[in-house]
């Protein structure tokens, strides 16, 4: 485990949702957190959260879809806070709609933020980390990077692209015998403001596909990955495990299931929200949305699967040791008989 106390950690999308929960967790670890996002109110409140938790937070406004803005922010961070040890990409935006209802401009903008934002963040981080031969990059992924669903073609396409991009970069670093690590954390449905501020063309209010997890579950897993970046990929939540395994075993069956249930499972009975959309402009420029969305009463605050996954080696060793001890005991009994 690499301690994060006093180390500089960059988080994109830091003003709300999963990114907001991540910076709080980093603050509790005593990290020096550089917060990148667009929304002034959300960023300012996030910096306060980091300080309250025991860390140091500093704000850097930037649109991750713009490479030059990301690069300039990173240069300022290194000058003002010190060498970047960890870079965590969480920023995204999207459109809730059928593919045929999304305009080319909306699709291009979603891809620029949600996919290219990760590419630019990774490129900037590697330009700084590779000469030092040290550092870690954590990509916030999704079960939807393996399995596309209705109404989220732009988001699913971007998450699939992030997975392929990350695998390519990871193997290049391995080939170079670099000590810079890149890891991917695949998340389940999370209760974030995403469902209140992402552009929606649906008649009813969008919702995460149940089961839903609180953003703190995701944040703890992401920070753990930052401290243990040697693993290629982390899966968070039993629903993520089930989705990825089902996709491997019976993808055509999953297609038919989602065709029947995928649309209904993503909407509530409430009318769609109006007047807020963060695709082109930040939704939290003057209003702080925080980490949580509208589904606190239906969200899980813990995930036993994550606990087990993070401790799989000692658990397996313990099971193997127990089996060996049982075998020795059985052999002794057999000899006495």
């Amino acid at each position: 485990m690499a301690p994060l106390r006093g180390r500089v950690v960059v988080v994109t999308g830091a003003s709300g949702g999963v990114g907001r929960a991540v910076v709080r967790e980093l603050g509790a670890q005593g990290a020096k957190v550089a917060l990148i996002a667009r929304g002034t109110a959300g960023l300012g409140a996030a910096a306060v959260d980091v300080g309250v938790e025991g860390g140091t937070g500093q704000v850097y406004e930037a649109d991750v879809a713009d490479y030059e803005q990301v690069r300039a922010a990173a240069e300022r961070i290194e000058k003002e806070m010190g060498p970047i040890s960890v870079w965590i990409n969480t920023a995204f935006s999207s459109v809730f709609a059928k593919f045929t209802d999304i305009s080319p401009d909306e699709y291009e903008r979603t891809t620029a933020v949600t996919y290219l934002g990760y590419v630019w963040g990774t490129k900037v981080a590697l330009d700084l980390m590779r000469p030092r031969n040290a550092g870690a990059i954590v990509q916030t992924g999704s079960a939807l990077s393996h399995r596309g669903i209705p109404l989220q073609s732009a988001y699913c396409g971007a998450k699939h692209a992030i997975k392929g991009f990350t695998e390519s970069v990871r193997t290049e670093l391995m080939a170079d015998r670099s000590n810079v690590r890149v890891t991917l954390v695949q998340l389940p449905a999370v209760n974030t403001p995403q469902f209140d501020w992402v552009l929606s063309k649906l008649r009813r209010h969008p919702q995460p596909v149940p089961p839903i997890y609180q953003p703190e579950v995701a944040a703890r897993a992401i920070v753990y990955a930052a401290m243990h970046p040697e693993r290629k990929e982390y899966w968070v939540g039993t629903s993520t495990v089930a989705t990825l395994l089902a996709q491997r075993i019976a993808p055509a069956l999953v297609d038919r299931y989602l065709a029947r249930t995928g649309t209904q499972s993503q909407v509530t009975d409430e009318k769609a929200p109006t007047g807020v959309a963060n695709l082109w402009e930040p939704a939290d420029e003057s209003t702080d949305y925080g980490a949580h969305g509208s589904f606190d009463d239906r969200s899980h605050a813990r995930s036993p699967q994550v606990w087990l996954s993070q401790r799989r080696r000692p658990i397996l060793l313990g099971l193997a040791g127990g089996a060996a001890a049982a075998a020795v005991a059985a052999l002794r009994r057999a000899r006495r008989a």
Side-chain angles (χ1 to χ4, degrees):
M1 175 180 289
L4 297 176
R5 180 168 297 278
R7 297 169 67 191
V8 178
V9 182
V10 176
V11 181
T12 70
S15 63
V18 169
R20 180 68 167 270
V22 166
V23 302
R24 289 174 180 165
E25 183 70 18
L26 290 168
Q29 296 284 339
K32 297 164 64 178
V33 188
L35 304 98
I36 295 179
R38 296 175 299 163
T40 304
L43 274 174
V48 171
D49 285 351
V50 174
V52 168
E53 293 294 336
T56 302
Q58 197 157 323
V59 168
Y60 297 88
E61 273 193 67
D63 184 344
V64 297
D66 186 324
Y67 169 75
E68 292 299 333
Q69 289 189 39
V70 178
R71 183 182 60 80
E75 290 175 353
R76 283 184 57 207
I77 291 165
E78 292 238 326
K79 181 178 179 180
E80 297 170 2
M81 301 185 73
I84 296 168
S85 294
V86 179
W87 188 291
I88 301 174
N89 285 310
T90 70
F92 79 93
S93 189
S94 191
V95 182
F96 285 113
K98 289 184 177 181
F99 169 66
T100 50
D101 293 333
I102 303 173
S103 73
D105 286 348
E106 291 165 347
Y107 219 99
E108 185 174 35
R109 173 63 180 171
T110 297
T111 304
V113 174
T114 309
Y115 171 53
L116 289 180
Y118 278 53
V119 174
W120 303 150
T122 301
K123 179 171 178 55
V124 167
L126 286 178
D127 286 346
L128 296 169
M129 293 174 178
R130 288 183 69 218
R132 298 192 287 260
N133 198 29
I137 299 169
V138 181
Q139 315 284 39
T140 303
S142 167
L144 303 187
S145 70
H146 290 256
R147 173 66 252 180
I149 63 174
L151 307 180
Q152 295 204 49
S153 62
Y155 179 83
C156 292
K159 288 298 184 182
H160 274 69
I162 289 166
K163 180 178 181 295
F165 161 74
T166 300
E167 289 175 343
S168 180
V169 171
R170 187 170 189 269
T171 53
E172 290 174 1
L173 290 170
M174 292 171 66
D176 291 341
R177 300 186 182 277
S178 173
N179 286 323
V180 179
R181 302 286 184 254
V182 181
T183 188
L184 186 60
V185 183
Q186 307 289 28
L187 299 184
V190 183
N191 174 36
T192 72
Q194 165 191 359
F195 303 91
D196 298 312
W197 72 17
V198 167
L199 177 61
S200 176
K201 300 187 178 183
L202 308 178
R203 293 182 178 178
R204 290 185 285 165
H205 195 296
Q207 69 169 7
V209 179
I212 308 168
Y213 292 86
Q214 294 287 27
E216 288 76 17
V217 175
R220 290 190 293 269
I222 290 167
V223 173
Y224 182 91
M227 299 167 73
H228 303 79
E230 63 280 353
R231 191 188 298 187
K232 173 185 177 180
E233 191 169 290
Y234 289 88
W235 296 359
V236 179
T238 53
S239 56
T240 297
V241 175
T243 298
L244 302 191
L245 292 180
Q247 179 63 15
R248 290 181 180 181
I249 296 168
L253 183 62
V254 177
D255 279 348
R256 291 193 290 272
Y257 173 78
L258 288 171
R260 292 196 307 271
T261 68
T263 297
Q264 188 65 30
S265 65
Q266 293 187 79
V267 293
T268 70
D269 294 331
E270 300 175 12
K271 291 183 178 180
T274 58
V276 177
N278 78 337
L279 185 62
W280 302 103
E281 301 293 337
D284 54 353
E285 185 67 38
S286 58
T287 302
D288 175 30
Y289 282 79
H292 288 220
S294 306
F295 305 96
D296 278 334
D297 59 337
R298 298 167 51 194
S299 300
H300 302 285
R302 295 284 185 273
S303 172
Q305 175 273 331
V306 173
W307 188 91
L308 291 169
S309 173
Q310 293 173 352
R311 293 158 180 82
R312 63 182 185 180
R313 182 170 295 178
I315 290 172
L316 291 173
L317 289 174
L319 292 173
V328 169
L331 181 59
R332 287 175 177 171
R333 288 195 299 268
R335 285 177 177 173
R336 287 197 297 268

